[in-house]
Amino acid sequence: MSLSATSSFNANSVSAPSGLAPPPSGSPAVSLDKALRIARAKAYPEQMWWLIASFIAFIAICQAFSWFCMKLSSRSPSQSKKPADAEVGDSRSAASRRFSWRHFPSALINLYRVVAFRWTLEIGQSYTLNVAEVFVTCGYIVALSTWEFVNTTNAEGVKFDPQYWTNRAGVLAASQFPLVTALGTKNNVIAYITGISYDKLNYIHRMTARVVFVLLWVHGGGKVGICFPAVWEEWFVRVGLTALTAFTILILVSLRPIRAQVYELFYFTHFIMVLIILLGGYFHANMFHQGTYIWPSFLIWGLDRAIRFARVIYYNHLYFGFTSKSDRLDASVELLSPHFVRLHIHRPPHFSWTPGQTAFLAMPSVSGMPLEMHPFTIASVDSHYQLAGVKTPAIGDIEKKFSDALDVAPYWKELVFLINVREGFTKRLAGIAENGKKVKVLIDGPYGFSPNLDHDDTVVLIAGGSGVSFTLSTFLGVLSHVQIKKSICRKLVFIWTIRDATHIEWVSKALTKALEFAPSEVEIAIRIYVTAHNSDVDALRQVKSWGEDDSIHSSDGTAVGRSRPPSLLNFSAVQVMQGRPDLRALLHEEVAASSGGRLSVTVCGSQGIARVCRKALRVPVSTALHGGPSVVLHVESFGYA
Ligand SMILES: Cc1cc2nc3c(=O)[nH]c(=O)nc-3n(C[C@H](O)[C@H](O)[C@H](O)COP(=O)(O)OP(=O)(O)OC[C@H]3O[C@@H](n4cnc5c(N)ncnc54)[C@H](O)[C@@H]3O)c2cc1C
């Protein structure tokens, strides 16, 4: 970190390497400067860490408080009524709601949610930051810059003395390495403390890495003006510069357009560059006894890898038995359409998950690179987990009903994945599906946290295309929880936008079974929007062959085809429309119709869908003050690239 003899860090630091500036005269001002620099370079990174730790603790307390409020305000399943059954006097629809200060706490919480998560900063077409993310970003930059440049006036009164801020930039940056590393891991301690899943924290991982990168350039660049040329020949300076060069390459390949276009290049460059940064950074910093900031990064990274490796072995150990039986574990892959694959795997012993969680899949025969793993959302529900520890007579029924229905049993018993075909790994997988082959799959997971919807009176699920893997499992999960009296949900709305009407088939059997056995206390509405133009007659013709009695309607209500698969589309709860959904109107309708309580909207689709939902749910404070619902929005997106 320190490139000049006048700025050795502490009393224990090594003697000035040859080639550095000549030792200063022992004037009192110089000694005072040195003592101050040493003391501050030690204190400021520690203060920064106290701030970060306090902020993490604050988030954890807020999450706990919000969970506690949700429990307190939640009705019991027996108090909750299906909207259609609610007596007239109970109804608090938009027209009949009255203002009351009693609703003030709820209005305040709603206001906070709107401001923090639904007000957004749009950067270009596809980049959106919410106020919470902007706040964290600005807070982090301001905090680090303050500690970097505060008290940099030297004993002779010269402001912004580079001897002060250059070294401090190095130590502050080094002190942030463990944070950046932890935020980038899948088994993330910060995720467990705050309840924010690893993929959402990935934004903060990238943001903190970029701020640290700037600090390192301040450290290295600042030295240019104050070091003798010979300094740059020193081995520890060279390793530092190598680390900085690696960091620069990493920042360039991490830029969104590159990451999105050539993800594999990004992935492997990231791995190699991080190794160089950490090793170079460690040896450079350790020269001045600051290595203690860097080695924990190896530990955090190693621990994450060890946990992932242990999980892969544990969940896939039957494969490693090398018996002929292991072939039976292979996954079935079906090509549902040229752009969509369904994969199902036997549930490994002891593998449990909650709706919406993700698993990483490795398929050695499909992968282009060793150790390649891809995340996919588990589209099925884990009936073992859903029902664990619950003792109600309904349990036996549920398990029996679904295991009897063999064609849909995978959605309750196995791991099902709905995979959108892209360019790399998924394209090769589609090729295998086309040939009807099976594949060996090693699984690691589950990851992420499912939104807790048990206390929501109305649950709205919105998906675009492959986002249905998230909302389908959530839909099945909510119904199971209502059945076992764990959820108070009385209205469940499932909105799915697809390009082609034939895509309905991907999930039609699972939805049909779910509707067949749905508990009577929930009002269900399934609205499927087909965005293909009317001219796409081939698709409509294909759909037509599924059934005879029912029609597909355009969004203005006119029939565009008589075309329902006999089972799913025979339910009155199911509507298929042509055109894009007016999500704004649909959501406003749900908010208006909601009789107080909690309404949650869970979205998994394109940035565009998420954007419309955020805007639509900027519910005015007056709605909550008049006894409107407490509105919660969960946005999931596939891919943080
Ligand atoms: C938490 C999470 C859940 C997901 N769930 C689903 C799902 O249920 N169904 C689905 O179809 N897709 C899902 N995805 C996206 C899926 O992981 C990628 O589409 C897939 O990895 C693309 O592989 P490819 O080699 O064909 O991609 P390419 O064509 O090479 O690249 C396409 C894009 O996929 C992303 N990508 C590629 N490899 C990876 C990787 N190893 N990890 C993360 N992103 C990658 C990059 O953004 C890249 O721009 C999910 C992603 C995440 C992060």
Side-chain angles (χ1 to χ4, degrees):
M1 298 288 145
S2 170
L3 302 184
S4 115
T6 55
S7 52
S8 307
F9 276 137
N10 58 41
N12 301 324
S13 72
V14 289
S15 56
S18 60
L20 298 185
S25 61
S27 75
V30 170
S31 308
L32 178 62
D33 273 338
K34 188 173 174 183
L36 284 175
R37 283 200 307 266
I38 291 168
R40 288 172 189 162
K42 185 173 182 306
Y44 291 172
E46 285 173 11
Q47 289 170 12
M48 181 71 198
W49 262 104
W50 275 111
L51 179 79
I52 293 167
S54 312
F55 185 68
I56 293 172
F58 174 72
I59 301 277
I61 291 167
C62 287
Q63 298 278 42
F65 181 71
S66 141
W67 178 86
F68 189 67
C69 289
M70 187 174 74
K71 282 266 177 198
L72 269 188
S73 63
S74 159
R75 316 173 203 197
S76 76
S78 56
Q79 286 172 312
S80 227
K81 286 184 182 149
K82 193 171 168 176
D85 298 343
E87 288 166 28
V88 180
D90 286 352
S91 168
R92 264 186 285 153
S93 63
S96 58
R97 288 178 197 148
R98 296 240 154 76
F99 173 87
S100 164
W101 284 111
R102 208 162 41 87
H103 304 305
F104 186 70
S106 160
L108 210 61
I109 292 173
N110 272 303
L111 178 68
Y112 159 73
R113 288 192 196 119
V114 169
V115 173
F117 305 111
R118 289 170 223 164
W119 280 9
T120 51
L121 185 71
E122 314 286 338
I123 306 163
Q125 277 297 303
S126 59
Y127 207 83
T128 305
L129 288 181
N130 61 38
V131 168
E133 287 167 336
V134 172
F135 173 78
V136 171
T137 306
C138 294
Y140 189 71
I141 294 172
V142 168
L144 267 182
S145 319
T146 306
W147 267 300
E148 163 62 0
F149 292 111
V150 77
N151 291 332
T152 48
T153 305
N154 70 18
E156 285 167 354
V158 178
K159 288 192 173 162
F160 294 112
D161 179 353
Q163 299 286 8
Y164 274 72
W165 53 259
T166 50
N167 284 338
R168 205 188 288 168
V171 197
L172 276 171
S175 74
Q176 297 305 295
F177 274 39
L179 176 73
V180 179
T181 312
L183 286 166
T185 55
K186 308 281 179 288
N187 296 288
N188 188 319
V189 67
I190 300 168
Y192 289 115
I193 297 173
T194 59
I196 303 169
S197 64
Y198 83 91
D199 53 312
K200 295 217 167 85
L201 286 176
N202 199 267
Y203 162 75
I204 306 182
H205 164 70
R206 292 194 307 265
M207 179 276 287
T208 48
R210 284 166 186 164
V211 178
V212 166
F213 170 72
V214 172
L215 263 186
L216 285 175
W217 267 105
V218 169
H219 170 60
K223 291 290 177 190
V224 172
I226 59 173
C227 285
F228 287 117
V231 173
W232 305 98
E233 302 297 322
E234 292 291 333
W235 72 268
F236 66 92
V237 177
R238 290 197 164 184
V239 291
L241 284 173
T242 309
L244 190 53
T245 309
F247 212 151
T248 310
I249 295 170
L250 178 57
I251 291 291
L252 290 176
V253 294
S254 307
L255 292 175
R256 181 180 266 243
I258 299 178
R259 237 176 334 138
Q261 286 301 314
V262 272
Y263 187 86
E264 264 126 43
L265 173 78
F266 154 74
Y267 185 84
F268 285 97
T269 312
H270 185 282
F271 181 82
I272 293 162
M273 293 305 140
V274 166
L275 206 64
I276 298 173
I277 295 165
L278 289 181
L279 282 173
Y282 174 77
F283 286 112
H284 179 83
N286 209 38
M287 185 74 189
F288 306 98
H289 303 279
Q290 303 296 322
T292 37
Y293 280 129
I294 305 217
W295 66 255
S297 294
F298 288 104
L299 200 69
I300 294 165
W301 181 85
L303 200 64
D304 177 50
R305 290 283 145 174
I307 293 172
R308 296 190 70 183
F309 181 72
R311 273 213 186 116
V312 170
I313 299 290
Y314 181 67
Y315 288 129
N316 305 282
H317 66 276
L318 293 176
Y319 259 133
F320 303 113
F322 299 109
T323 61
S324 56
K325 280 187 200 159
S326 68
D327 287 349
R328 275 195 260 144
L329 304 171
D330 290 353
S332 322
V333 222
E334 301 159 71
L335 192 64
L336 298 176
S337 80
H339 299 291
F340 222 75
V341 168
R342 181 167 52 205
L343 178 142
H344 53 89
I345 321 173
H346 290 287
R347 177 177 176 274
H350 315 299
F351 189 97
S352 288
W353 70 97
T354 52
Q357 281 193 299
T358 303
F360 278 79
L361 305 182
M363 302 181 211
S365 61
V366 184
S367 302
M369 316 249 185
L371 307 175
E372 187 177 340
M373 285 198 128
H374 290 259
F376 296 103
T377 306
I378 308 169
S380 46
V381 283
D382 175 6
S383 58
H384 292 74
Y385 181 87
Q386 300 281 323
L387 310 177
V390 186
K391 302 244 175 302
T392 102
I395 304 307
D397 279 4
I398 300 169
E399 287 220 296
K400 185 162 183 335
K401 276 172 195 168
F402 293 123
S403 50
D404 285 352
L406 284 178
D407 51 348
V408 292
Y411 280 98
W412 280 267
K413 294 188 139 190
E414 294 186 357
L415 286 153
V416 179
F417 297 91
L418 297 170
I419 298 173
N420 206 0
V421 177
R422 310 286 295 256
E423 285 306 313
F425 170 85
T426 51
K427 199 168 188 175
R428 293 191 291 274
L429 184 66
I432 289 185
E434 206 167 12
N435 297 327
K437 290 188 197 151
K438 288 195 152 200
V439 274
K440 284 204 186 324
V441 178
L442 300 178
I443 188 159
D444 169 32
Y447 288 99
F449 303 108
S450 313
N452 182 350
L453 309 179
D454 287 345
H455 305 277
D456 303 340
D457 304 73
T458 303
V459 173
V460 181
L461 305 171
I462 300 175
S466 59
V468 73
S469 45
F470 191 93
T471 54
L472 177 65
S473 58
T474 309
F475 179 82
L476 303 178
V478 170
L479 287 181
S480 301
H481 277 196
V482 173
Q483 196 127 23
I484 59 175
K485 314 278 179 237
K486 213 172 157 191
S487 160
I488 64 160
C489 174
R490 291 299 172 261
K491 186 169 184 193
L492 182 54
V493 183
F494 182 92
I495 299 170
W496 185 30
T497 310
I498 43 176
R499 290 225 176 102
D500 195 304
T502 55
H503 297 175
I504 296 171
E505 226 181 334
W506 299 346
V507 296
S508 68
K509 284 184 183 163
L511 285 178
T512 305
K513 267 308 156 216
L515 286 178
E516 226 172 282
F517 299 120
S520 57
E521 56 265 45
V522 198
E523 179 187 325
I524 299 177
I526 295 182
R527 296 182 188 140
I528 300 173
Y529 292 83
V530 182
T531 57
H533 297 299
N534 283 354
S535 56
D536 197 353
V537 274
D538 282 349
L540 291 175
R541 240 183 242 134
Q542 208 176 332
V543 178
K544 207 173 164 184
S545 67
W546 294 344
E548 295 176 358
D549 301 324
D550 298 297
S551 314
I552 285 184
H553 295 89
S554 69
S555 33
D556 63 8
T558 51
V560 294
R562 291 168 58 78
S563 52
R564 291 188 170 187
S567 37
L568 177 65
L569 300 182
N570 280 346
F571 286 93
S572 58
V574 181
Q575 281 179 293
V576 181
M577 262 90 57
Q578 193 160 56
R580 284 169 169 237
D582 183 350
L583 290 172
R584 194 183 140 81
L586 288 170
L587 289 174
H588 284 182
E589 210 176 278
E590 291 308 330
V591 172
S594 194
S595 56
R598 266 171 70 102
L599 179 150
S600 69
V601 178
T602 302
V603 185
C604 188
S606 64
Q607 284 274 353
I609 293 184
R611 199 173 288 168
V612 172
C613 293
R614 280 198 194 96
K615 275 196 186 139
L617 293 176
R618 289 175 194 164
V619 185
V621 178
S622 58
T623 307
L625 281 174
H626 283 80
S630 176
V631 182
V632 188
L633 172 67
H634 307 281
V635 178
E636 297 296 326
S637 62
F638 287 166
Y640 35 77

